[in-house]
């Protein structure tokens, strides 16, 4: 079990990255294992279609910078994706070694080695396109927006990114569990990409500080990458008590105040069964909580979290409480306990028991039952939404219902991975090019990434 | 209980006897008596002493060895520019005597190299004869340094010199003489015949192959250079084994050298490599690179592996199998044109990498198809030319096998086909698929 000291050094150790970089020898070994499959399943499994066998072959032939270029061509956020991608369900999960009952090639580790080399060389492997007088505004400096901005710059558009927070990166900077990727890595990735010549305006919220109308007037196109809104409420009594926090803010505080201690949370109850709930639970343990219970209303098999994330929570000593739904947060001046009702499932339907109630004492309740859809921004731009609150887009170009307005990332897909957002940004950039410069071929050196769409 | 077959590993190569066929080849592992004694303590059957020459001894450069690695495998091939022994002759001879005194049953063979003069060779043979060596090996193969001084490969590349020097040695030697051949020659059978004509009791091969290991693409200096300059060296290690096997078998099958005792050298790393050399005619084998890589201790698994294999094959002595496969190496014109094999993919073993497809399609004969909805490729058996490439690239053991196709045709060699005026070939030429 994790050391439960909140001392500075223990914090640092507990939050240090779990996956260490591969040594050059390990890279040689892993690279030599790759079979260089034809029409490789790992490429098919990657939302950005990184040519994995090609970059591994480049690593094996002592060309890490060439490998880095192969990766960043298909996915400008390859540096962070090497750390945060759920590879067991993506490229590594598709590796043919699985059919052999063998460990897949450690693609994420190899990718990290290659993009680390790019960052050590401190030089992007591509240049901005020849400047055109067309301007695109990108709303939100998260993965979708940054990916879109990168490709737009390569196509020669002038790009201004508007970010409401004080730092760019979105969830990559604020929401990724610290042991997966620290904030500095996210910011370094962005710093390199922004060298393509993006204007980045932080602390400026479109819709509040800046009218959408103005953007539509001043720019030839707008890309919306707002991500998701706040965590859903539990909708129960006592939710407003101090000590009840949402997972996103909690993780953000852990990242921001790393090493400086958080208000104590000796006994923590995390409500939810997704990957964010796992992140909140494991980071609670890692920041000194004595006892962490993750409560989910359905069974273990129903948990939306990936198996390997659940396994990590177990390793960290998180207690998994299944079939329990919170009914009340109790406490005088702050949260002191949560009352749960037992649940069961009948014919797929969740049934709450009205008699089987129990109470868990706690100092902190972390809500992680999913995030609301961001609807203020799309509404301000007057774009149509789907029934589930996501922004309606054309699948080929990611254009919204409004001409000149494009969208991607969590606000469109409902909440997926960084790599999905990166893929959206790429698709939208090509969509914007085709709309703003119809019939004009892309500038040189853009063919490859367009071929990955 | 049934007793296990008694297996005798002892070897007799040109009259040189050793308790097992594994000898250390002339090279760094046999540099000194101290090393050879440790090797013999561990169980090596024989040792060919690092080549002796005239005094004063040679001096060497630093940066002497270079290697190529394959993936994570170290030393697939090894290059060296080290010369013959750099110690005085008297020191080596004294140590040879000490080794023989302590290990009388092990074979110690003195490797020799002096200028091409009768007197020089007579002198050294006389001096060595007192040391108690069981045999001599004439180093006509060293391709670097010494060859520039008219020795080593410079002798081995001129059949007349090979014969002449062999004769010089045979005039004085009281022990068997092996001639070690250089592979840096167009047809190794020619110097082999010359050595035989000169009276050699046996032949050992191959010596190292001329090589340059590479160029550092950053500094643009040849790899493993001495400072900023490099000289070609001699290449050995696992990579050279097929070359050595071919040369060995060509001598084993040459009517003019038929039956000459052979000591096989070249890329032997384990017992099965050694058995391959023996099946093609070697009655002893010599190892160097594998020992330089892993040490004398490999003799344990060499002996155990050979013994286990012999027991499995019911062979009680090396003579039961030495040369068994030699006659199966023939000229191309004697191969059966009517023998047909075709690749078969086992779908249960296939992991769907499709490497066979791309290899066949781009690099061979376009006989494998992909099927929609499946990652298991399919061989069009009718079109398959049986080239083996798919089976070679397949990463899964036994997934792709080359199955013999019964054609019911009588064997037909090219020799017969040509003699019949290019008639009688029945397998038919396949239709090329046009690029679509």
């Amino acid at each position: 079990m994790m050391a439960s000291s909140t001392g500075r050094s223990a914090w640092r150790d507990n939050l240090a990255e779990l996956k260490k970089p591969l040594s050059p020898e390990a890279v040689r070994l892993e690279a030599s294992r790759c079979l260089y499959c034809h029409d490789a399943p790992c490429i098919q499994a990657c939302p950005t279609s990184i040519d994995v066998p090609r970059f591994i072959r480049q690593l094996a032939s002592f060309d890490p910078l060439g490998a880095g270029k192969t990766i960043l061509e298909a996915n400008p956020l390859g540096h962070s994706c090497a750390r945060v991608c759920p590879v067991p369900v993506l490229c590594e999960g598709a590796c043919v070694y699985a059919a052999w009952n063998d460990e897949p090639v450690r693609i994420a580790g190899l990718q990290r080695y290659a993009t680390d080399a790019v960052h050590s060389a401190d030089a992007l492997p591509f240049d901005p396109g020849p400047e055109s007088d067309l301007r695109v505004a990108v709303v939100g400096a998260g993965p979708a927006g940054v990916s879109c901005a990168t490709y737009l710059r390569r196509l020669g558009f002038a790009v201004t990114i508007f970010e409401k927070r004080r730092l760019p990166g979105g969830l990559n900077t604020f929401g990724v569990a610290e042991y997966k990727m620290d904030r500095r890595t996210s910011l370094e990735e962005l710093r390199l990409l922004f060298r393509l010549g993006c204007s980045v305006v932080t602390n400026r919220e479109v819709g509040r500080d800046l009218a959408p109308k103005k953007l539509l007037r001043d720019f030839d196109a707008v890309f919306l990458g707002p991500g998701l809104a706040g965590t859903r409420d539990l909708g129960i009594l006592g939710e407003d008590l101090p000590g009840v926090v949402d997972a996103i803010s909690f993780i953000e505080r852990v990242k921001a105040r790393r090493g400086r201690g958080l208000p104590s949370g000796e006994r923590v109850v995390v409500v939810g069964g997704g990957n964010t709930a796992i992140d909140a639970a494991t980071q609670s343990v890692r920041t000194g909580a004595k006892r962490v219970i993750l409560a989910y209303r359905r069974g273990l098999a129903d948990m939306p979290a990936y198996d390997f994330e659940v396994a990590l929570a177990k390793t960290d000593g998180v207690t998994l409480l299944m079939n329990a739904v919170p009914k009340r947060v109790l406490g005088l001046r702050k949260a002191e306990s949560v009352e749960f009702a037992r649940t069961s499932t009948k014919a797929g339907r969740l049934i709450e028991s009205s008699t089987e109630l129990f109470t868990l004492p706690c100092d902190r309740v972390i809500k992680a039952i999913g995030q609301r859809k961001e609807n203020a921004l799309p509404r301000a731009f007057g774009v149509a939404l789907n029934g589930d609150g996501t922004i309606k887009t054309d699948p080929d170009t990611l254009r919204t219902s409004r001409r000149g307005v494009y969208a991607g990332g969590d606000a469109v897909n409902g909440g997926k991975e960084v790599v999905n957002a990166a893929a959206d940004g790429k698709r939208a950039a090509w969509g914007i090019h085709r709309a703003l410069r119809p019939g004009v071929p892309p500038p040189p050196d853009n063919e490859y990434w367009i071929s990955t769409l | 209980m049934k007793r296990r077959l008694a297996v005798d590993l002892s070897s007799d190569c040109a009259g040189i006897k050793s308790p097992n066929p594994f000898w250390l080849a002339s090279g760094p592992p046999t540099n000194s008596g101290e090393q050879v004694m440790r090797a013999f303590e561990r169980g090596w059957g024989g040792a060919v002493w690092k080549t002796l020459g005239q005094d004063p001894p040679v001096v060497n450069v630093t940066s002497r060895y270079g290697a190529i690695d394959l993936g994570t495998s170290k030393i697939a091939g090894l290059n060296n520019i080290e010369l013959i022994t750099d110690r005085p002759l008297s020191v080596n001879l004294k140590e040879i005597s000490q080794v023989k005194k302590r290990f009388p049953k092990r074979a110690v063979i003195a490797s020799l190299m002096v200028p091409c003069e009768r007197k020089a060779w007579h002198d050294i043979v006389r001096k060595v004869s007192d040391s108690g060596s069981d045999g001599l090996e004439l180093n006509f193969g060293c391709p670097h340094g010494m060859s520039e001084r008219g020795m080593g490969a410079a002798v081995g590349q001129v059949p007349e010199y090979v014969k002449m020097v062999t004769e010089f040695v045979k005039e004085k030697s009281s022990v068997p003489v092996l001639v070690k051949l250089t592979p840096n020659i167009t047809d190794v059978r020619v110097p082999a015949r010359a050595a035989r004509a000169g009276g050699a009791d046996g032949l050992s091969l191959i010596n190292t192959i001329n090589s340059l290991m590479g160029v550092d693409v950053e500094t643009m200096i040849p790899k493993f250079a001495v400072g900023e300059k490099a000289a070609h060296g001699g290449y050995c290690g696992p990579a050279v084994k097929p070359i050595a096997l071919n040369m060995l078998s060509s001598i084993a099958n040459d009517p003019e050298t038929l039956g000459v005792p052979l000591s096989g050298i070249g890329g032997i790393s384990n017992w099965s490599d050694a058995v391959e050399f023996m099946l093609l005619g070697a009655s002893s084998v010599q190892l160097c690179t594998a020992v330089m890589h892993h040490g004398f201790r490999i003799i344990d698994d060499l002996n155990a592996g050979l013994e286990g294999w012999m027991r499995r094959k019911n062979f009680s002595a090396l003579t039961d199998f030495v040369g068994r496969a030699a006659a199966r190496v023939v000229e191309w014109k004697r191969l059966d044109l009517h023998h047909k094999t075709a690749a078969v993919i086992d779908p249960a073993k296939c992991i769907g990498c499709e490497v066979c497809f791309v290899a066949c399609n781009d690099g061979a004969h376009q006989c494998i198809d992909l099927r929609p909805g499946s990652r298991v490729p399919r061989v069009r058996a009718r079109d398959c030319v049986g080239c083996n490439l798919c089976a070679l690239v397949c990463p899964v053991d036994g997934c792709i096998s080359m199955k013999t196709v019964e054609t019911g045709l009588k064997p037909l060699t090219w020799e017969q086909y040509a003699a019949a005026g290019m008639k009688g070939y029945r397998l038919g030429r396949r239709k090329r698929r046009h690029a679509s």
Side-chain angles (χ1 to χ4, degrees):
Chain A
M1 176 125 179
M2 196 63 52
S4 59
S5 162
T6 48
R8 194 177 276 252
S9 60
W11 257 63
R12 201 164 291 141
D13 291 348
N14 290 351
L15 293 178
E17 31 172 39
L18 284 182
K19 288 187 183 162
K20 298 295 174 207
L22 297 183
S23 66
E25 293 80 5
V27 166
R28 266 212 305 280
L29 174 65
E30 285 302 313
S32 68
R33 290 181 67 223
C34 175
L35 301 174
Y36 204 35
C37 295
H38 170 262
D39 192 17
C42 50
I43 308 177
Q44 295 169 14
C46 177
T48 59
S49 303
I50 293 175
D51 192 336
V52 174
R54 171 166 150 184
F55 93 68
I56 292 179
R57 193 173 157 80
Q58 288 172 297
L59 282 180
S61 54
F62 313 105
D63 186 12
L65 291 177
K69 181 172 195 291
T70 300
I71 294 160
L72 297 181
E73 279 277 352
N75 179 356
L77 295 161
H79 193 53
S80 52
C81 283
R83 292 159 168 85
V84 307
C85 260
V87 287
V89 297
L90 295 174
C91 52
E92 292 186 14
C95 179
V96 294
Y97 275 100
W100 216 348
N101 289 325
D102 200 351
E103 290 296 315
V105 174
R106 292 160 76 180
I107 298 168
L110 293 174
Q111 176 164 325
R112 173 172 175 174
Y113 186 85
T115 64
D116 280 354
V118 171
H119 276 263
S120 297
D122 198 28
L124 267 184
F126 32 72
D127 298 311
E131 301 293 341
S132 74
D133 51 3
L134 294 164
R135 293 158 49 85
V136 182
V138 170
V139 181
V146 168
S147 166
C148 188
T150 301
Y151 291 110
L152 289 170
R153 286 299 300 139
R154 295 186 61 186
L155 291 164
F157 295 97
V159 178
T160 307
I161 306 178
F162 297 97
E163 168 56 49
K164 66 179 176 182
R165 313 199 56 150
R166 66 192 169 84
L167 290 173
L171 286 181
N172 255 4
T173 301
F174 293 103
V176 169
E178 189 72 0
Y179 53 76
K180 285 181 188 155
M181 178 170 73
D182 61 15
R183 174 172 292 183
R184 205 182 59 181
T185 306
S186 167
L187 294 176
E188 278 171 359
E189 175 173 56
L190 299 171
R191 190 178 51 84
L192 197 60
L193 293 173
F194 290 159
R195 268 197 220 160
L196 286 171
C198 307
S199 309
V200 185
V201 183
T202 51
N203 286 319
R204 193 77 56 89
E205 183 170 355
V206 174
R208 204 187 66 186
D209 309 321
L210 201 61
K213 236 182 228 163
K214 185 170 162 51
L215 283 195
L216 292 168
R217 196 175 59 230
D218 292 352
F219 291 88
D220 299 287
V222 178
F223 175 81
L224 304 179
L228 297 172
T231 303
R232 284 199 195 95
D233 290 331
L234 297 170
I236 58 174
L237 210 63
E239 190 167 359
D240 303 329
L241 282 170
V244 182
V245 295
D246 73 87
I248 302 290
S249 328
F250 170 73
I251 292 166
E252 189 180 326
R253 271 160 64 191
V254 169
K255 288 175 78 74
R257 305 176 69 172
R258 178 175 174 187
R260 273 183 276 140
L262 272 180
S264 75
E266 296 278 285
R267 295 166 302 172
V268 177
V269 170
V270 178
V271 180
N275 295 312
T276 307
I278 301 278
D279 282 353
T282 54
Q283 298 211 70
S284 292
V285 177
R286 284 160 189 270
T287 53
K290 290 268 191 319
R291 193 205 67 194
V292 178
I293 294 173
L294 184 146
Y296 178 55
R297 62 198 170 113
R298 293 176 184 267
L300 198 59
D302 307 312
M303 281 179 77
Y306 298 125
D307 292 347
F308 52 90
E309 295 282 10
V310 177
L312 176 68
K314 287 182 182 165
T315 310
D316 274 7
V318 173
T319 305
L320 300 179
L321 171 64
M322 295 294 113
N323 291 104
V325 65
K327 299 308 293 174
R328 281 190 297 174
V329 181
L330 306 168
L332 279 176
R333 270 177 294 277
K334 56 180 276 295
E336 287 168 6
S337 63
V338 184
E339 185 185 75
F340 284 93
R342 273 281 168 212
T343 67
S344 55
T345 320
K346 230 181 209 154
R349 277 195 50 188
L350 197 68
I351 297 163
E352 281 181 35
S353 165
S354 52
T355 52
E356 276 184 274
L357 299 175
F358 60 96
T359 304
L360 290 176
C362 63
D363 309 296
R364 177 183 293 149
V365 181
I366 302 178
K367 302 184 282 186
I369 55 166
Q371 288 169 265
R372 294 190 308 275
K373 301 294 181 296
E374 169 61 52
N375 54 22
L377 191 78
R379 204 166 284 158
F381 276 89
V383 300
L385 301 180
N386 294 312
D388 63 355
T390 55
I391 301 173
K392 193 180 260 179
T393 55
D394 167 57
D396 179 39
T397 61
L398 294 190
R399 208 201 87 170
T400 64
S401 61
R402 182 160 185 169
R403 196 207 314 218
V405 180
Y406 295 75
D410 285 355
V412 169
N413 63 36
K416 284 188 178 172
E417 305 297 336
V418 174
V419 66
N420 300 98
D424 281 1
K426 178 163 70 172
R427 184 165 293 285
W430 182 228
I432 290 169
H433 175 96
R434 283 177 291 168
L436 296 190
R437 311 182 75 185
V440 178
D445 297 330
N446 281 283
E447 295 82 359
Y448 177 69
W449 70 261
I450 293 167
S451 76
T452 64
L453 284 168
Chain B
M1 198 183 100
K2 195 182 157 202
R3 289 188 74 85
R4 298 198 308 163
L5 176 75
V7 168
D8 177 12
L9 296 187
S10 68
S11 138
D12 180 341
C13 181
I16 304 169
K17 295 182 173 59
S18 57
N20 63 55
F22 300 109
W23 298 355
L24 293 166
S26 177
T30 58
N31 220 0
S32 66
E34 187 272 334
Q35 285 168 287
V36 175
M37 287 205 216
R38 278 195 287 121
F40 283 171
E41 274 165 23
R42 194 78 198 207
W44 284 83
V48 185
W49 211 270
K50 176 130 172 149
T51 305
L52 310 176
Q54 285 177 326
D55 283 335
V58 300
V59 286
N60 272 299
V61 291
T62 58
S63 179
R64 303 179 188 178
Y65 313 137
I68 57 164
D69 303 337
L70 269 188
T72 52
S73 289
K74 300 291 282 182
I75 310 192
L78 182 74
N79 170 77
N80 89 88
I81 56 167
E82 196 171 275
L83 301 181
I84 62 174
T85 183
D86 53 8
R87 307 184 317 147
L89 182 61
S90 59
V91 173
N92 279 309
L93 292 177
K94 196 174 123 202
E95 292 180 5
I96 291 175
S97 314
Q98 287 167 347
V99 169
K100 269 316 288 184
K101 213 163 278 165
R102 223 185 119 192
F103 296 95
K105 301 258 157 124
R106 312 298 173 89
V108 176
I109 296 98
S111 171
L112 304 179
M113 184 197 288
V114 292
C116 283
E117 298 149 14
R118 174 177 263 122
K119 181 172 181 316
W121 281 97
H122 282 185
D123 277 355
I124 197 153
V125 171
R126 182 172 43 78
K127 285 175 186 162
V128 171
S129 67
D130 297 334
S131 68
S133 302
D134 302 283
L136 304 178
E137 185 181 84
L138 311 188
N139 183 341
F140 294 165
C142 180
H144 52 267
M146 303 313 290
S147 53
E148 295 169 16
R149 304 171 200 182
M151 293 179 270
V155 179
Q157 286 163 343
V158 183
E160 293 77 17
Y161 292 172
V162 172
K163 176 166 179 283
M164 178 180 78
V165 174
T166 309
E167 283 167 352
F168 293 163
V169 174
K170 284 299 288 182
E171 283 160 14
K172 289 287 167 193
S173 179
S174 54
V175 292
V177 175
L178 303 175
V179 169
K180 184 164 175 179
L181 299 173
T182 176
N184 300 306
I185 190 161
T186 343
D187 185 349
V188 77
R189 290 176 300 182
V190 177
R193 289 167 193 158
R196 198 61 173 148
D201 299 288
L203 303 171
S204 48
L205 71 161
I206 58 173
N207 208 310
T208 57
I209 304 170
N210 286 348
S211 62
L212 184 72
M213 294 312 282
V215 180
D216 183 319
V217 295
E218 298 303 322
T219 62
M220 294 179 254
I221 295 171
K223 283 183 180 164
F224 311 107
V226 178
E228 296 197 349
K229 287 182 181 151
H232 83 267
Y235 196 49
C236 54
V240 311
K241 192 182 89 175
I243 297 167
L245 288 175
N246 175 49
M247 291 192 166
L248 187 99
S249 70
S250 72
I251 292 172
N253 287 327
D254 181 16
E256 294 189 38
T257 49
L258 209 60
V260 63
L262 297 171
S263 183
I265 316 168
I268 299 171
S269 308
N270 55 48
W271 68 268
S272 66
D273 291 338
V275 167
E276 291 176 46
F277 277 83
M278 291 195 263
L279 286 171
L280 291 175
S283 42
S284 79
V285 289
Q286 301 184 28
L287 288 83
C288 180
T289 308
V291 173
M292 290 176 73
H293 196 166
H294 302 295
F296 296 130
R297 59 197 166 141
I298 63 170
I299 189 61
D300 300 351
D301 47 82
L302 290 169
N303 274 331
L306 176 60
E307 188 182 324
W309 175 81
M310 286 173 68
R311 197 160 270 138
R312 223 166 55 240
K313 293 290 172 188
N314 219 20
F315 293 138
S316 56
L318 303 190
T319 47
D320 291 348
F321 66 90
V322 164
R324 274 245 189 159
R328 290 185 175 144
V329 183
V330 296
E331 288 172 290
W332 198 97
K333 66 185 180 195
R334 305 244 161 90
L335 301 175
D336 180 11
L337 296 169
H338 278 161
H339 176 72
K340 183 170 166 62
T341 60
V344 178
I345 299 174
D346 180 352
K349 287 187 175 161
C350 177
I351 58 171
C353 67
E354 298 179 359
V355 165
C356 57
F357 162 76
V358 79
C360 180
N361 208 41
D362 293 0
H365 301 282
Q366 301 81 47
C367 318
I368 298 183
D369 295 327
L370 295 178
R371 294 177 292 172
S374 166
R375 285 198 66 91
V376 181
R378 187 165 49 192
V379 179
R380 288 194 316 281
R382 211 182 34 163
D383 291 340
C384 178
V385 303
C387 75
N388 298 344
L389 183 63
C390 55
L392 298 178
V393 298
C394 178
V396 183
D397 287 353
C399 174
I400 301 184
S401 44
M402 304 303 299
K403 295 267 163 66
T404 302
V405 178
E406 287 306 330
T407 59
L409 295 170
K410 273 201 303 191
L412 175 75
T413 66
W414 186 82
E415 211 170 24
Q416 297 163 332
Y417 178 56
M422 310 299 177
K423 287 198 175 67
Y425 180 62
R426 295 276 175 268
L427 277 182
R429 289 180 175 79
R430 53 191 284 278
K431 287 182 222 122
R432 288 253 158 210
R433 203 172 59 172
H434 291 286
S436 49

